[in-house]
Amino acid sequence: MLAALTALTMIAMQPASATQWPGGARAAVVLTYDDALTSQLDHVVPVLDKAGLKGTFFLSNVKRADVARWRAAAAEGHELANHTVFHACAAAQFSADPRYTTEAYTPASMLTEIEQQNVLLTAIDGRDAHGFGLPCGKSLAGGVDYLPPLRTAGLVTYVRGALNSMDELAADVSTMDSMHVPATDFPDGVRSAQLIAFAQKAVDGGGMAVLVFHGVGADYLRVSDADYQALIDWLLAHRGEVWVTTLQGALDWARAHPGTKE
Ligand SMILES: [Zn+2]
């Protein structure tokens, strides 16, 4: 009875038109991991599995030696998503062979690459449809925005877009443009306090927080194992307020459970 009253109180405290998350949770927190880094298989998947949580992994440049473990992660309920085959970024943003910079692409060649990464993902996880995360958070190919043709082509179920868009946290996720899902990445060596503060901001705003990780305990743009574990522990301790799910899971739920209108 007390639990029911508490749940009702929490729903009443949410801003009008906020998404009604399952179990009376005040916010959805989505843990995403970019670039198919082996440290994610070594240091993230076991921690999430032990905690009973699911993550979303944006794969690019997939290593042959890791395919079986990505397949196993997908079979356990983690989401595999498209991050292109080669992860092209603007030449000025990320040093790379000039053939693999976005200046060398056209929207058509980028869409072809995204389609081929979908084929690879389907071969790994057996799923027909996948979400997409923009490499380096940008959608230019040869100086042209490829989001309009990507939307028309219907190749992906959503686009995790520009990074560090905290202002959109409180938006009604059910009406959010799924081709512009905001997300936030963190600097190398980020501490757990900053990660937890971001999740808390989502709780306060009643929306969805999409966190972007790269290396965990190894690789680049790294968070330490201890700081990562502290975030997971905080999420588990706040299970009543926070729903941790995949990005596809959060968007599907929000679409099916529109917010209350005034
Ligand atoms: Zn990336």
Side-chain angles (χ1 to χ4, degrees):
M1 183 61 185
L2 185 59
L5 279 173
T6 305
L8 280 172
T9 307
M10 284 167 58
I11 288 168
M13 283 166 58
Q14 288 186 335
S17 82
T19 299
Q20 304 297 303
W21 300 110
R26 302 195 64 204
V29 169
V30 176
L31 305 172
T32 71
Y33 308 85
D34 285 19
D35 306 349
L37 301 178
T38 302
S39 69
Q40 297 160 2
L41 290 165
D42 291 341
H43 299 249
V44 171
V45 172
V47 170
L48 292 179
D49 287 350
K50 188 175 176 201
L53 303 177
K54 304 303 177 198
T56 301
F57 296 85
F58 289 86
L59 303 194
S60 58
N61 293 306
V62 177
K63 300 179 194 75
R64 177 69 188 90
D66 288 341
V67 167
R69 287 205 286 169
W70 288 122
R71 179 172 290 131
E76 289 159 11
H78 299 292
E79 179 186 3
L80 304 188
N82 192 321
H83 203 38
T84 75
V85 177
F86 297 118
H87 202 289
C89 291
Q93 199 170 357
F94 194 81
S95 85
D97 181 323
R99 291 174 185 79
Y100 296 102
T101 61
T102 49
E103 287 86 347
Y105 283 69
T106 63
S109 68
M110 184 61 80
L111 264 59
T112 299
E113 182 174 319
I114 292 167
E115 190 168 19
Q116 280 306 301
Q117 184 68 357
N118 274 342
V119 172
L120 176 69
L121 292 174
T122 298
I124 294 174
D125 68 11
R127 294 177 179 272
D128 291 333
H130 295 91
F132 177 64
L134 296 173
C136 294
K138 298 282 193 322
S139 59
L140 290 180
V144 180
D145 186 359
Y146 65 81
L147 276 184
L150 181 62
R151 184 193 296 268
T152 303
L155 283 175
V156 296
T157 55
Y158 63 78
V159 175
R160 198 201 61 192
L163 304 177
N164 295 313
S165 310
M166 296 276 296
D167 292 348
E168 295 181 57
L169 272 177
D172 179 356
V173 180
S174 64
T175 58
M176 175 187 287
D177 181 356
S178 60
M179 294 293 128
H180 290 281
V181 178
T184 294
D185 62 353
F186 299 92
D188 187 49
V190 63
R191 303 305 305 270
S192 60
Q194 190 181 350
L195 299 168
I196 290 167
F198 181 68
Q200 182 65 54
K201 186 168 177 177
V203 171
D204 296 342
M208 174 174 75
V210 181
L211 288 77
V212 180
F213 293 96
H214 290 82
V216 176
D219 294 318
Y220 52 84
L221 287 173
R222 188 182 313 173
V223 57
S224 74
D225 286 317
D227 283 288
Y228 181 73
Q229 185 68 53
L231 170 67
I232 298 301
D233 291 345
W234 186 90
L235 292 170
L236 290 177
H238 292 77
R239 269 200 146 139
E241 305 179 273
V242 176
W243 184 42
V244 179
T245 187
T246 61
L247 188 45
Q248 189 71 63
L251 294 173
D252 286 349
W253 175 276
R255 189 78 58 205
H257 301 82
T260 50
K261 302 302 176 200
E262 287 177 280

